[in-house]
Amino acid sequence: MDNPMFIGQILLMIAIFYFLLIRPQQQRAKKEKAFEAALKIGDRIITKAGIHGKVNELSEETVVVETMAGKIKMERSAISMEMSAKLNEKK
């Protein structure tokens, strides 16, 4: 078990695991935080539940979204970064 080749293989597996699974997830979380922080009043968004609307009010953790049915207060994390980006690039 003290074989240096075995230890090297274990370290290689850990490095591969980090670069293929952990690091991409950290980068995605960082992009989502930046997206949430960059929201401003008037932005058109889509929530993760598929609700379309426009940002009406912002606070630290929540956002008020104006939809055709009225206003809805929700967490910033409920807004889909991918779907909102697709919606806004169609403009």
Side-chain angles (χ1 to χ4, degrees), residues 3-71:
N3 186 352
M5 187 79 151
F6 179 74
I7 294 172
Q9 289 175 344
I10 295 294
L11 291 176
L12 180 64
M13 287 175 42
I14 291 171
I16 290 171
F17 184 76
Y18 174 77
F19 283 108
L20 291 179
L21 298 174
I22 297 171
R23 190 162 186 256
Q25 183 63 30
Q26 289 174 337
Q27 289 176 334
R28 179 178 168 84
K30 188 176 179 181
K31 283 182 183 177
E32 286 184 7
K33 287 284 186 190
F35 171 76
E36 291 173 15
L39 283 175
K40 57 188 179 300
I41 294 175
D43 284 352
R44 293 175 39 196
I45 55 104
I46 301 176
T47 68
K48 291 179 181 175
I51 299 170
H52 293 240
K54 186 167 56 169
V55 176
N56 198 343
E57 296 176 31
L58 292 169
S59 68
E60 195 72 28
E61 295 292 320
T62 62
V63 60
V64 175
V65 177
E66 185 177 346
T67 65
M68 292 183 75
K71 294 181 182 178

Side-chain angles (χ1 to χ4, degrees), residues 28 32 35 44-53 78-90:
R28 179 178 168 84
E32 286 184 7
F35 171 76
R44 293 175 39 196
I45 55 104
I46 301 176
T47 68
K48 291 179 181 175
I51 299 170
H52 293 240
I79 298 171
S80 171
M81 180 177 69
E82 293 87 10
M83 289 190 285
S84 296
K86 286 180 186 177
L87 173 71
N88 289 317
E89 78 182 21
K90 289 181 184 177

